Amino acid sequence: MLSIAHQQLSRIMRPDDANIVGNVHGGTILKMIEEAGGIISTRHCNTQSGDRCVAALARVERTDFLHPMLIGEVAHVSAELTYTSRHSVEVQVNVMAENILTGSKKVTNKATLWYVPFSLQNVDKIIEVPQIEYASPEQEEEGKKRYEAQKMERLETKERNGETIIPVISPEEYTVGCSQSSLIHLVGPSDCTLHGFVHGGVTMKLMDEVAGIVAARHCKTNIVTASVDAINFHRKIKKGCVVTVSGRMTFTSNKSMEIEVFVDADPLVETAKGKYRAVSAFFTYISLDKDGKPLPVPTLKLETQEEKKRFEEGKVRYLQTKAKRQAEQERQQ
């Protein structure tokens, strides 16, 4: 049988978890998703004898925000192991929002995360993962296909990692330079795992904050996270590093906007290592009116050939996602 290992976290959403109109930040939900995934994968990897280890987040697959979560609702985050390779663990997570006044519940998120276990004695040593049992050979084969696909996508993403975001003086409204934003954060002990490296959930929350600022600057309305494309964690970020989280608009459709976010880490002590790209991802936001209904998004003004190239790449991703969503809806009918 498939591993019956499950993990569930629950907590009520407070005002400091949400934006000014009461919608819970996407970053808050992503952080809870990663906490549940980190617990179940670390627990599983320590079921065998040998080195004790902590599972580090390596990748989050595309995550859609199906329904908004509101202040006062209880978030129930449930995680399950679904595949193991020799050195990685796949965890699937569902998030449900419960209105404790009416008892109504709704699924708000479904996510797939990949973790890699590192030894507590040697942070550069990857531990071999105990294998789980599957209900059928077909189930194992499907998991292997997902593993190979994400491995290939991670390699493709690394090719983009030389890009940087340069500040623009007196930018024109609705241009890339007008809305691009950065956030600087000093990594402290509360941000880190037992290894002294940043929790993936902390990084994702910072990324969502920056992406949200970019979206709000462009639309000047209430905005919410609609989805997050695959988030790739290329290198670990150590305690004491200064991280710069930068975001820029890459594509707009009539009702959505794509924002590319980079995380660069700069060691303050081990300066010889130099600044490096640690994480990258694409976030999609939508603009809402005061009643929570989608508003048209101002068209992004493109000024350079690079911006036009990124816009066309974003358009391809948008159309691919739209086609997948339509195919999924047809299968369910």
Side-chain angles (χ1 to χ4, degrees):
M1 290 181 63
L2 184 67
S3 171
I4 59 173
H6 287 77
Q7 175 65 42
Q8 180 158 324
L9 303 177
S10 299
R11 78 172 179 86
I12 194 164
M13 295 293 97
R14 304 182 300 268
D16 59 346
D17 294 317
N19 62 19
I20 57 175
V21 297
N23 299 121
V24 174
H25 292 296
T28 300
I29 297 170
L30 289 170
K31 189 170 184 289
M32 289 189 294
I33 287 172
E34 196 279 326
E35 286 173 355
I39 290 170
I40 193 172
S41 53
T42 297
R43 180 182 290 150
H44 174 74
C45 292
N46 283 285
T47 55
Q48 61 188 354
S49 59
D51 287 1
R52 299 298 89 190
C53 63
V54 172
L57 184 61
R59 176 180 167 89
V60 181
E61 302 290 2
R62 178 182 172 84
T63 303
D64 289 306
F65 289 73
L66 307 173
H67 298 283
M69 192 177 294
L70 305 174
I71 294 171
E73 291 185 328
V74 175
H76 299 287
V77 185
S78 57
E80 181 181 9
L81 299 176
T82 49
Y83 181 76
T84 52
S85 69
R86 185 181 179 189
H87 291 129
S88 64
V89 180
E90 181 191 54
V91 180
Q92 294 190 3
V93 182
N94 290 329
V95 183
M96 181 175 290
E98 177 191 5
N99 184 321
I100 55 177
L101 301 180
T102 65
S104 63
K105 296 179 180 180
K106 60 188 176 185
V107 175
T108 61
N109 299 80
K110 293 183 178 182
T112 301
L113 302 87
W114 293 89
Y115 288 83
V116 175
F118 289 90
S119 168
L120 281 175
Q121 285 71 43
N122 179 359
V123 296
D124 295 319
K125 179 183 177 182
I126 298 176
I127 302 298
E128 193 161 323
V129 175
Q131 299 302 292
I132 62 173
E133 295 181 1
Y134 302 92
S136 66
E138 291 78 17
Q139 197 169 48
E140 182 176 9
E141 187 60 29
E142 285 299 314
K144 187 175 181 180
K145 287 178 182 178
R146 294 193 300 271
Y147 167 74
E148 294 296 341
Q150 64 87 27
K151 189 176 178 181
M152 183 64 66
E153 287 183 18
R154 280 176 56 78
L155 291 173
E156 291 173 357
T157 305
K158 284 184 178 181
E159 295 178 4
R160 296 175 58 92
N161 276 352
E163 298 188 26
T164 58
I165 297 177
I166 301 170
V168 178
I169 307 300
S170 302
E172 185 182 344
E173 193 174 28
Y174 302 131
T175 60
V176 174
C178 182
S179 59
Q180 67 182 30
S181 303
S182 294
L183 178 155
I184 298 175
H185 177 75
L186 176 63
V187 176
S190 63
D191 298 321
C192 297
T193 66
L194 295 173
H195 274 130
F197 294 104
V198 177
H199 282 289
V202 171
T203 306
M204 290 192 291
K205 192 170 188 297
L206 291 172
M207 295 173 78
D208 182 69
E209 287 178 14
V210 169
I213 293 170
V214 174
R217 280 180 166 171
H218 185 75
C219 291
K220 300 176 179 64
T221 62
N222 176 36
I223 48 86
V224 293
T225 314
S227 65
V228 184
D229 241 17
I231 303 177
N232 291 291
F233 291 77
H234 309 293
R235 293 177 62 181
K236 299 189 290 290
I237 303 173
K238 198 171 184 179
K239 179 174 64 180
C241 281
V242 172
V243 294
T244 303
V245 187
S246 304
R248 65 184 173 199
M249 192 82 64
T250 50
F251 171 77
T252 55
S253 67
N254 183 43
K255 291 186 179 179
S256 68
M257 47 204 141
E258 181 190 73
I259 297 141
E260 185 173 26
V261 183
F262 299 130
V263 180
D264 295 317
D266 191 2
L268 287 182
V269 178
E270 299 172 326
T271 54
K273 292 186 176 180
K275 196 171 185 177
Y276 59 90
R277 178 65 43 81
V279 192
S280 59
F282 290 98
F283 286 69
T284 299
Y285 274 74
I286 57 173
S287 174
L288 301 177
D289 64 17
K290 61 181 180 180
D291 298 317
K293 295 181 179 178
L295 286 170
V297 172
T299 302
L300 183 64
K301 293 181 180 178
L302 306 172
E303 299 180 299
T304 68
Q305 289 302 314
E306 273 300 309
E307 289 174 1
K308 292 175 182 177
K309 179 174 178 289
R310 289 195 295 268
F311 187 92
E312 289 303 316
E313 290 172 346
K315 186 177 181 179
V316 170
R317 286 188 290 271
Y318 167 76
L319 293 175
Q320 287 175 340
T321 300
K322 190 175 181 179
K324 287 178 183 177
R325 188 182 299 120
Q326 290 174 343
E328 183 65 28
Q329 289 173 348
E330 290 172 1
R331 281 197 297 269
Q332 293 175 355
Q333 290 177 352

